Amino acid sequence: MIPYGKQDISQDDIDAVTAVLKSDFLTQGPAVECFERRVAEYCGAQYAVAVSSCTAALHLTYMACGLVTDKRLWTTPNTFVATANAALYCDAEIDFVDIDPQTYNMSVEALRTKLEAAKKSGTLPDIVVPVHFSGYSCDLEEIQKLSEEYGFQIIEDAAHCIGGSYKDKKIGSCAYSKACVFSFHPVKIITTGEGGLITTNDKDLYEALLRLRTHGITRDTDLMQQKDEGSWYFEQLELGYNYRITDIQCALGLSQMSRLDEFITRRRELALRYTEKLPLLPLQLPQNSDDSSWHLYVVRLENDTDRRAVFDQMRERGIGVNVHYIPVHLHPFYRQKGFKEGDFPKAENYYKHTLTLPLYPGLTEDEQDHICKSLESIL
Ligand SMILES: *Cc1c(COP(=O)(O)O)cnc(C)c1O
C-alpha cells in the first residue's frame, strides 16, 4: 500500500541517533537545546521549546497564555482533534469558525462576522488558533488586525507547515502571533518519532513553557522564594507536566532539520506534478503556492461523485488515500457539548467531498503516475 504520508530516514539520521545512544544523556542533555536553537534560527524566532508532541505543545501554550476555566478559544473545525482538545484540557470553552472553501483554512470573513456578534453578546474569544491546513498559510496579517481590534491572542497550529512561508517570512517566525506550534509525528514534514515544538518571541512565555514542560519546576534563584537553601534546591511554582522530549528524538530532529529544505522542494515538485497531471478530471485542485510546505495534497471531488466509492477503489488498488478532516464538532464527544450538523456548513460540505492523495518525499514518479491513472479511470 502506498501510504498518504511517510517519514524519510537517512543513514545520517540513524548515525545521529546512535551517537546519542552512546553518549551520557538520553534525555535532558545537550541535543534538546541544539534542536531548539536550530528550529528557532530556521524560523526566525527568538525562542523555541521542544516537547513530547504537538498536542503537548498546544496544551502548554494555551495554559501559559492564560487559558483557564470559562476563557474562550476558537479554532477551525477542519483540523485534527488535538487543536480543540487541548483547550478542554484547560477547562476552557471551545468554539469554531467556518472555513474558506478555496483554501480550507479558517475564513477571515467568517471570523470577522463571528467576532462582531461575540462583541455584542460579551463572548469574545481570549485565544484564536488558525491552522495552516495542508501547509498553506492562513491570512495571518488580516487575523492579526482583527486580534488588535478585538483583543485576542493568536497561536498558530503549524503542525502541517514547518518549512512553509507567509509574506517572505518562515512560518514559526511569530511575526503575527504570540506563538506557533509544530508536530514531528512521522507523517508530518520532519520527524522525531513523536514530538512537538513551540516558537515565540515572548521571553516570559518562553520561560513559562520551559517550567511547565517539567512539572512547573524552576532552578532559577531569581524566581525562588527560598533563595539560598543550597545547590540541590529547586522549587515547584505551578502545576506542570512531564512533557519533555528525549535527546534521542532531538538528535533525529536536528538531523532532519538539515534535510528540511530538500523535503519541501521534493514535496513541491510532486505537488506541481499532480497539478499538471490532474486538471482534466472533475476535481477542485489545491491552490498553487510556492509558500506552502505541501504536507497534504487534497482534491475536492464534485458534489455528485461518490467519494466513498472512489476512496474504496483507490485503496483496493493499493493507494492509501485518506480524508482530512472529519469536522471536529461532529465527533460524538463534541456533539455532547451541543455542536451539531449545520453549525459550520462549509467545513461539513468540504469534508463530504475531499480526498487526500499520497504525498511524501520518497514517493516515486512511477507511483505518482499510477495514482493519477487510477484516479482517472475510477472517475
Ligand atoms: C498532527 C496534528 C496535531 C497533533 O500533533 P501530535 O504531534 O501528533 O500531537 C495537531 N494539530 C494538527 C493540525 C495536526 O495535524
Side-chain angles (χ1 to χ4, degrees):
M1 179 80 78
I2 302 171
Y4 83 88
K6 191 179 178 213
Q7 72 276 15
D8 188 312
I9 302 294
S10 67
Q11 189 58 47
D12 283 351
D13 292 338
I14 294 167
D15 293 344
V17 171
T18 309
V20 167
L21 288 172
K22 291 177 179 167
S23 79
D24 289 336
F25 294 98
L26 300 188
T27 190
Q28 294 180 286
V32 178
E33 236 184 284
C34 283
F35 180 49
E36 288 170 341
R37 248 183 286 122
R38 183 68 187 268
V39 178
E41 272 166 29
Y42 180 92
C43 294
Q46 272 180 283
Y47 309 105
V49 179
V51 292
S52 53
S53 69
C54 181
T55 305
L58 288 162
H59 182 196
L60 290 193
T61 309
Y62 293 173
M63 264 181 92
C65 288
L67 195 73
V68 292
T69 309
D70 296 335
K71 300 260 182 188
R72 292 183 197 84
L73 182 142
W74 293 1
T75 187
T76 165
N78 187 31
T79 185
F80 184 56
V81 291
T83 319
N85 286 349
L88 302 176
Y89 299 161
C90 299
D91 197 32
E93 296 291 320
I94 183 81
D95 204 349
F96 303 92
V97 180
D98 211 350
I99 64 167
D100 173 330
Q102 296 305 314
T103 63
Y104 318 131
N105 279 331
M106 177 185 284
S107 156
V108 172
E109 273 321 300
L111 176 60
R112 183 177 290 117
T113 308
K114 196 175 173 91
L115 286 165
E116 282 164 7
K119 190 175 182 184
K120 287 185 192 126
S121 60
T123 55
L124 282 170
D126 301 281
I127 295 175
V128 171
V129 185
V131 177
H132 306 306
F133 176 74
S134 79
Y136 188 91
S137 172
C138 295
D139 196 345
L140 291 169
E141 196 169 59
E142 289 304 311
I143 297 171
Q144 190 196 37
K145 281 183 199 155
L146 291 171
S147 84
E148 280 162 7
E149 192 176 343
Y150 292 96
F152 56 83
Q153 302 179 84
I154 300 168
I155 298 170
E156 298 168 67
D157 182 338
H160 299 184
C161 206
I162 194 162
S165 308
Y166 174 76
K167 293 196 190 281
D168 297 328
K169 287 203 166 71
K170 289 283 185 213
I171 291 293
S173 76
C174 300
Y176 303 89
S177 65
K178 183 91 170 174
C180 179
V181 303
F182 296 110
S183 171
F184 307 127
H185 183 277
V187 299
K188 307 287 164 72
I189 311 272
I190 63 164
T191 190
T192 59
E194 296 278 358
L197 181 140
I198 307 117
T199 57
T200 184
N201 295 316
D202 182 320
K203 189 156 188 280
D204 292 338
L205 177 61
Y206 168 64
E207 287 172 352
L209 290 168
L210 289 179
R211 279 196 305 278
L212 290 168
R213 173 176 70 180
T214 185
H215 309 281
I217 283 170
T218 188
R219 290 177 182 277
D220 180 349
T221 44
D222 291 345
L223 297 173
M224 289 185 192
Q225 298 193 1
Q226 313 290 331
K227 303 277 181 206
D228 50 5
E229 286 269 323
S231 58
W232 69 86
Y233 189 69
F234 62 83
E235 284 184 353
Q236 183 188 343
L237 302 178
E238 61 212 305
L239 187 62
Y241 296 84
N242 177 354
Y243 278 167
R244 290 189 302 265
I245 188 169
T246 65
D247 281 55
I248 306 167
Q249 292 167 299
C250 287
L252 178 56
L254 197 54
S255 181
Q256 289 258 302
M257 275 304 287
S258 67
R259 308 177 61 213
L260 172 55
D261 286 339
E262 184 192 310
F263 288 160
I264 300 289
T265 303
R266 179 64 183 156
R267 284 177 173 278
R268 187 171 299 146
E269 249 170 46
L270 289 166
L272 289 176
R273 221 167 157 270
Y274 269 132
T275 299
E276 278 165 17
K277 288 184 175 287
L278 299 173
L280 299 177
L281 300 184
L283 298 168
Q284 178 178 314
L285 300 180
Q287 295 225 321
N288 261 324
S289 164
D290 289 340
D291 287 342
S292 178
S293 59
W294 290 108
H295 167 52
L296 300 174
Y297 193 91
V298 294
V299 294
R300 190 193 178 289
L301 306 177
E302 294 200 328
N303 290 347
D304 55 3
T305 307
D306 182 349
R307 193 264 309 271
R308 181 161 180 173
V310 176
F311 182 99
D312 289 344
Q313 288 178 53
M314 290 291 275
R315 286 278 176 117
E316 277 161 25
R317 292 172 189 230
I319 301 164
V321 287
N322 216 314
V323 169
H324 297 94
Y325 283 102
I326 302 160
V328 175
H329 68 285
L330 295 184
H331 284 286
F333 176 77
Y334 282 88
R335 287 182 192 253
Q336 278 167 33
K337 299 181 126 338
F339 293 104
K340 59 189 185 309
E341 205 146 347
D343 283 349
F344 305 100
K346 295 202 167 75
E348 292 166 19
N349 188 51
Y350 157 78
Y351 162 64
K352 287 194 183 106
H353 304 291
T354 191
L355 193 68
T356 303
L357 304 182
L359 179 62
Y360 51 92
L363 184 72
T364 67
E365 300 189 352
D366 284 349
E367 285 170 331
Q368 196 181 27
D369 290 345
H370 170 58
I371 295 162
C372 295
K373 287 207 189 85
S374 300
L375 188 59
E376 185 173 354
S377 83
I378 292 164
L379 287 175

